[in-house]
Amino acid sequence: MLKNIFSSLLKITGFCLLLSFVTTGCKPDDNGIGIEIINSDNFATYRDTLYVTAVTTVQDSTSSSGFSDNETHPIGCMFDPLFGKTSSSLAVTFGLTSENPEFASTAAVDSVVLSLAYSGNIYGDKLCPQTFRVYELTEKLDGTYFSNYRCSHSPVELGCRTFMPSLDSVYVDGGLIAPVLRIKLDNSLGDRIITADSSYLASDTAFIDLLNGIYIAPDEVNTPGSGALVHFYLEDDLTFIKVYYHNDTTGGLSYRLNVTEDLARYLEYDHFGYQDASPEVRTAFNDTARGEEKLYVQSLSGLFAKINIEGIDSIAAKGTIAVSNAVLSFHVDPSSYYISMPTEYEIVRIKSDGTTAAVPDAYLSTAYYGGTYNSETGIVSFRVSSLMQEYFYGTIENCGLYLVVKYASYSPARVVLYGSNPSDPTKRIMLDMTYSVVLQD
């Protein structure tokens, strides 16, 4: 008996490899529910469209620290007419350009400037004025931070600037440089640095005892459609705090503080409880009935689409299952376009303890796995053959999936998707699967 099953599985495996090439890229077919497409003495092969339920859920938080040097950091506040307000603040540590700098006893501060290098990405209304306020951190940054953490900082402003984001080059210190935002800081910060005991200037670790870091927070915007999230490079030659000073013999001196890979920073996101979101979005949270029509997905610790695949147990009851191809497809609502359409997505599986992990198919090539928005069809598809097979093996527990925008921890984006049973049935979420069942003697 076991020998026959094993022999059948070997045959099925070979067949599934062939069938996967045949079915790769197939469009899910509404009319293929439970259709037996191949039969033999050893196995029967079916094509099924599994039912999917879905709901919009609010994400608690996301890791918002430890970004690599080529990743940008959004700061600002915007008011999306559909999703409501989103605010992003930055806490960051600065270090010494060189250890043991020496300042003459007659040194006096002329000015202190914070410079932030624009990355070129402005998500939102570029013509809406923004106000950034700078404060000194009253705690040291250390470890991994999540976007819902609220750092402690002094209530006294170090600096403030109201501006409109601009990607034009600027003249600084007599020369033309790439676009930057410059905020004048209080001279007291410079005084503290140039008069500091030498022990504080011996290393970055020692310097953090003198200056824990700074916190940059935007003012709220209150008009729907206004505001923007402005991206900056931190590990850039044009991102720094510079103290301009002179002494009794020399003028035009300066000393700068930099952000390096080893220095901590994190982003703090706030969606204000979605109190400013439209009723369409606000009433969709955790409502499976609303999830039949539309789903709402937003990055920066915003909204997930939670997906549950139904019918797995009934298929498993047929016998030993071998999955040759499984494609999970979502239709984007084009009428929801705002600022830009996210082009890359991913799904993650929910573990029994509530944490998440990558689906096994995600470790394969993007060409195989998918997750890229097709602007011609309006569809985002994922190949999840390996995931479905693991479900049938019982090696992965079916606790559901989350659909998220890729790079959601630092890249602002949002999208509206059709749900599990929308008024237009051609737009519903579908899991189209081809599989084989071992026939018992």
Side-chain angles (χ1 to χ4, degrees):
M1 176 73 173
L2 290 175
K3 182 177 180 181
N4 290 339
I5 292 177
F6 181 70
S7 175
S8 297
L9 281 173
L10 287 177
K11 292 177 182 178
I12 290 175
T13 301
F15 170 74
C16 287
L17 288 173
L18 175 61
L19 191 61
S20 66
F21 287 105
V22 175
T23 58
T24 293
C26 287
K27 182 180 179 181
D29 185 352
D30 258 347
N31 300 317
I33 298 178
I35 294 178
E36 185 176 316
I37 57 176
I38 294 179
N39 203 346
S40 76
D41 294 338
N42 303 108
F43 58 86
T45 298
Y46 301 85
R47 184 175 180 183
D48 265 323
T49 300
L50 276 67
Y51 184 67
V52 172
T53 59
V55 66
T56 299
T57 64
V58 180
Q59 186 181 5
D60 176 61
S61 64
T62 187
S63 175
S64 59
S65 61
F67 299 139
S68 65
D69 59 359
N70 64 339
E71 291 168 344
T72 62
H73 295 68
I75 311 174
C77 185
M78 65 177 294
F79 197 150
D80 184 312
L82 187 62
F83 284 72
K85 293 179 187 176
T86 296
S87 175
S88 178
S89 304
L90 172 70
V92 58
T93 305
F94 282 80
L96 301 167
T97 305
S98 58
E99 295 177 349
N100 300 307
E102 295 183 357
F103 302 101
S105 60
T106 57
V109 172
D110 297 314
S111 63
V112 182
V113 174
L114 167 65
S115 174
L116 298 170
Y118 285 106
S119 75
N121 183 6
I122 300 172
Y123 184 84
D125 182 3
K126 302 176 184 178
L127 301 180
C128 176
Q130 292 255 13
T131 297
F132 285 5
R133 301 182 189 276
V134 184
Y135 304 90
E136 183 175 347
L137 292 176
T138 54
E139 65 174 283
K140 295 180 183 179
L141 299 182
D142 184 24
T144 299
Y145 288 85
F146 287 82
S147 56
N148 61 351
Y149 181 75
R150 298 297 180 254
C151 66
S152 60
H153 60 81
S154 168
V156 180
E157 286 183 14
L158 275 177
C160 173
R161 181 171 177 186
T162 298
F163 66 100
M164 286 193 294
S166 172
L167 301 182
D168 294 332
S169 298
V170 295
Y171 278 95
V172 175
D173 295 338
L176 191 64
I177 63 171
V180 295
L181 172 65
R182 290 170 63 85
I183 303 175
K184 189 178 185 305
L185 303 183
D186 194 274
N187 282 4
S188 62
L189 176 62
D191 290 335
R192 199 183 336 155
I193 293 170
I194 66 173
T195 61
D197 186 90
S198 60
S199 62
Y200 287 116
L201 306 178
S203 66
D204 284 345
T205 302
F207 181 72
I208 293 171
D209 289 329
L210 182 70
L211 176 64
N212 291 329
I214 63 170
Y215 176 72
I216 307 171
D219 281 3
E220 286 186 43
V221 294
N222 295 302
T223 304
S226 65
L229 299 178
V230 186
H231 289 246
F232 299 95
Y233 284 123
L234 295 188
E235 295 175 43
D236 188 280
D237 287 342
L238 295 177
T239 293
F240 53 78
I241 293 174
K242 183 176 284 190
V243 179
Y244 295 89
Y245 68 99
H246 67 275
N247 57 38
D248 59 348
T249 60
T250 308
L253 301 173
S254 66
Y255 184 78
R256 57 183 280 167
L257 308 173
N258 293 333
V259 180
T260 63
E261 181 181 7
D262 299 328
L263 295 174
R265 82 295 300 263
Y266 88 98
L267 290 162
E268 184 180 289
Y269 304 137
D270 193 352
H271 298 282
F272 304 94
Y274 287 95
Q275 62 184 4
D276 300 301
S278 71
E280 173 187 341
V281 173
R282 199 168 57 250
T283 59
F285 302 157
N286 302 315
D287 187 331
T288 53
R290 292 293 310 281
E292 291 184 351
E293 187 63 37
K294 294 285 181 67
L295 297 168
Y296 305 89
V297 177
Q298 184 185 33
S299 63
L300 306 186
S301 190
L303 304 177
F304 283 165
K306 184 179 181 182
I307 311 300
N308 289 300
I309 300 170
E310 310 292 341
I312 291 177
D313 291 343
S314 61
I315 293 176
K318 295 180 180 181
T320 303
I321 306 297
V323 178
S324 59
N325 193 49
V327 177
L328 180 61
S329 299
F330 301 84
H331 288 257
V332 172
D333 178 5
S335 68
S336 67
Y337 180 90
Y338 183 70
I339 301 177
S340 63
M341 184 68 74
T343 58
E344 295 184 82
Y345 302 78
E346 56 188 351
I347 51 175
V348 294
R349 63 182 181 89
I350 306 170
K351 299 166 69 174
S352 57
D353 62 0
T355 60
T356 60
V359 298
D361 303 84
Y363 294 106
L364 304 174
S365 69
T366 301
Y368 170 87
Y369 171 57
T372 300
Y373 172 65
N374 186 323
S375 59
E376 294 183 1
T377 63
I379 294 175
V380 179
S381 295
F382 301 87
R383 185 159 282 106
V384 290
S385 309
S386 298
L387 173 68
M388 296 304 297
Q389 188 64 70
E390 297 289 348
Y391 281 163
F392 288 118
Y393 282 154
T395 50
I396 290 180
E397 191 174 354
N398 179 18
C399 298
L401 306 168
Y402 287 132
L403 171 70
V404 299
V405 178
K406 201 168 185 179
Y407 313 116
S409 61
Y410 62 89
S411 181
R414 49 78 123 194
V415 68
V416 180
L417 306 163
Y418 288 98
S420 58
N421 190 27
S423 51
D424 181 352
T426 65
K427 300 295 179 65
R428 69 184 178 91
I429 304 168
M430 289 197 297
L431 176 57
D432 189 64
M433 185 172 72
T434 303
Y435 62 96
S436 299
V437 183
V438 174
L439 299 178
Q440 306 294 327
D441 292 336

